[in-house]
Amino acid sequence: MIGFDVTLADLPLRADLVGKSPYGAPQLDVPVKINTNENPYPPSAALVADLAASVAAAATELNRYPDRDAVALREQLAGYLSASTGIDLSSANVWAANGSNEILLQLLQAFAGPGRSALGFEPSYSMHPIIASGTRTTWISCPRRADFTVDIDAAAALVRERAPDVLFITSPNNPTGGSLPLQDIRALVRAAPGIVVVDEAYAEFSDRPSAIGLIDQFPAKLVVVRTMSKAFAFAGGRLGYLAAAPAVIDALLLVRLPYHLSALTQAAASAALRHADDTLGSVAHLIAERRRVRQSLVDNGFDVIDSDANFLLFGRFDDQVAAWRQYLDAGVLVRDMGIPGYLRATIGTDTENDVLLEKSAQLFATAGRTQ
Ligand SMILES: Cc1ncc(COP(=O)(O)O)c(C=O)c1O
């Protein structure tokens, strides 16, 4: 055992990182884990068998570097997006990386950084400001209304005034769940002088049309980011992607690490995409469950924010930190996003949802909830 006498304080850390805490939801071993917006249903046996065979085939060539540009996988992703949005995309319109977080990092490396700024409508996905900070991009926070919607006119005015190099629009928004209609996204893109990143991590759970339909109108500005971590039930596989004009991908090639996407990841994601219809079959059921859970929480007196995603933000708790602990003590891991009075719960299996509802009713009857 070496090096344990050295602490963070002994290291020549960048001054702007001193005192910061690492990002990460607690990974606790409890019966009901509904804190990270995963699909609760594991991959099918057929997918696992196909994936295992594909990874085994890729393993025979692991002495070689993978396809640096992941062309075959990008072709499959373009096929999926074209089929689900009706917009004709090719592999030249799609880029892939290890989770959409890496896509977001590459976007900020290429289009933001020191002396540049990024703006987001908060509360929203907390990695946006964290990746901004890591790339030394100045973060500009535009608050949402009290009901967590975006005041589009005020937002567009702020975007015009502050002129961020990168504008983040998360739709459906995490952790609040609401999404924006295309005309609102269009108004924000018109106001933005720089790159607009529409983060559609939860798009498959929403009825709204994808912002991919706007790329043709704003090819030098608009980037739509997706992930296989949510609806595709592939969070452990780490595959995120984007749709944009080919020139955007040319820009990302300047900052990506060579061979960033391993041959194993490419083979596994490709297998997962071959079973997309099967996997995405769970989406309709999760949406139905979201409606059931929402109604039951409302019937129990909770304030539940409208959601187009696979989670619900609900409250109001006198003290959401204490309420989070009470859920945990009852074996239910939900997420405290630091929004006073509210907690976020992912839609799980029917049984997990029943447990959440049962514990919520008990909590309501005992303590911790206001109004
Ligand atoms: C809005 C949003 N974007 C991006 C991500 C990152 O997902 P991943 O890196 O797993 O693709 C998440 C994950 O929770 C998210 O909520």
Side-chain angles (χ1 to χ4, degrees):
M1 300 262 271
I2 58 164
F4 283 86
D5 49 341
V6 173
T7 71
L8 204 50
D10 300 315
L11 302 179
L13 189 64
R14 263 166 47 182
D16 59 312
L17 295 179
V18 172
K20 293 210 162 148
S21 315
Y23 170 88
Q27 292 192 304
L28 304 175
D29 196 13
V30 294
V32 179
K33 285 183 249 180
I34 47 174
N35 70 331
T36 46
N37 299 344
E38 296 144 329
N39 186 324
Y41 299 108
S44 68
L47 191 163
V48 171
D50 189 0
L51 188 151
S54 308
V55 167
T60 63
E61 291 184 47
L62 278 182
N63 54 315
R64 300 290 177 195
Y65 283 111
D67 173 6
R68 207 170 34 210
D69 296 332
V71 174
L73 177 62
R74 286 162 59 202
E75 234 156 61
Q76 264 183 295
L77 289 164
Y80 163 69
L81 287 180
S82 299
S84 56
T85 64
I87 313 289
D88 193 19
L89 298 166
S90 81
S91 61
N93 295 113
V94 174
W95 181 242
N98 296 283
S100 53
N101 282 326
E102 189 179 25
I103 294 276
L104 297 171
L105 173 64
Q106 293 177 347
L107 284 167
L108 288 186
Q109 285 177 320
F111 298 111
R116 292 190 167 206
S117 64
L119 186 150
F121 306 111
E122 298 192 306
S124 189
Y125 182 45
S126 50
M127 281 308 295
H128 295 158
I130 291 173
I131 298 172
S133 153
T135 54
R136 293 206 162 168
T137 303
T138 301
W139 180 251
I140 304 167
S141 179
C142 176
R144 289 169 178 260
R145 294 190 184 105
D147 65 358
F148 305 117
T149 58
V150 178
D151 178 340
I152 294 297
D153 292 342
L158 185 76
V159 167
R160 265 188 222 99
E161 180 200 325
R162 301 297 300 270
D165 297 281
V166 175
L167 170 64
F168 285 104
I169 302 173
T170 311
S171 184
N173 188 49
N174 175 17
T176 56
S179 58
L180 290 181
L182 275 194
Q183 75 257 26
D184 288 356
I185 295 178
R186 194 183 289 112
L188 294 171
V189 179
R190 285 214 172 98
I195 293 288
V196 180
V197 176
V198 182
D199 187 336
E200 289 191 350
Y202 302 93
E204 285 88 352
F205 299 101
S206 170
D207 289 339
R208 296 226 199 251
S210 167
I212 289 173
L214 297 177
I215 292 174
D216 204 24
Q217 216 178 320
F218 304 103
K221 274 188 178 178
L222 191 56
V223 180
V224 179
V225 175
R226 294 281 190 105
T227 180
M228 290 180 68
S229 295
K230 311 298 179 182
F232 269 100
F234 199 68
R238 308 306 298 131
L239 201 291
Y241 56 107
L242 65 71
V248 170
I249 291 145
D250 291 342
L252 298 194
L253 292 176
L254 302 173
V255 297
R256 66 92 187 269
L257 295 176
Y259 316 111
H260 67 295
L261 208 51
S262 88
L264 303 180
T265 302
Q266 292 184 41
S270 181
L273 280 163
R274 283 196 289 276
H275 297 259
D277 287 347
D278 190 18
T279 310
L280 295 175
S282 62
V283 168
H285 183 70
L286 290 168
I287 292 172
E289 278 293 282
R290 177 184 77 209
R291 295 198 177 115
R292 178 177 79 89
V293 173
R294 179 187 150 70
Q295 193 53 50
S296 176
L297 287 171
V298 168
D299 291 346
N300 270 301
F302 286 92
D303 175 26
V304 188
I305 307 304
D306 275 340
S307 172
D308 289 325
N310 65 337
F311 54 82
L312 291 167
L313 189 73
F314 67 109
R316 295 193 50 106
F317 300 95
D318 274 338
D319 176 349
Q320 91 277 356
V321 182
W324 178 83
R325 171 55 61 187
Q326 283 173 294
Y327 278 109
L328 185 60
D329 290 345
V332 180
L333 181 59
V334 294
R335 190 81 176 266
D336 172 13
M337 307 299 304
I339 302 175
Y342 288 91
L343 292 171
R344 191 194 70 192
T346 306
I347 301 303
T349 61
D350 298 11
T351 313
E352 288 172 332
N353 299 333
D354 288 342
V355 175
L356 171 74
L357 291 173
E358 191 189 319
K359 299 302 168 198
S360 300
Q362 284 166 10
L363 259 183
F364 184 83
T366 51
R369 212 200 124 270
T370 55
Q371 292 180 19

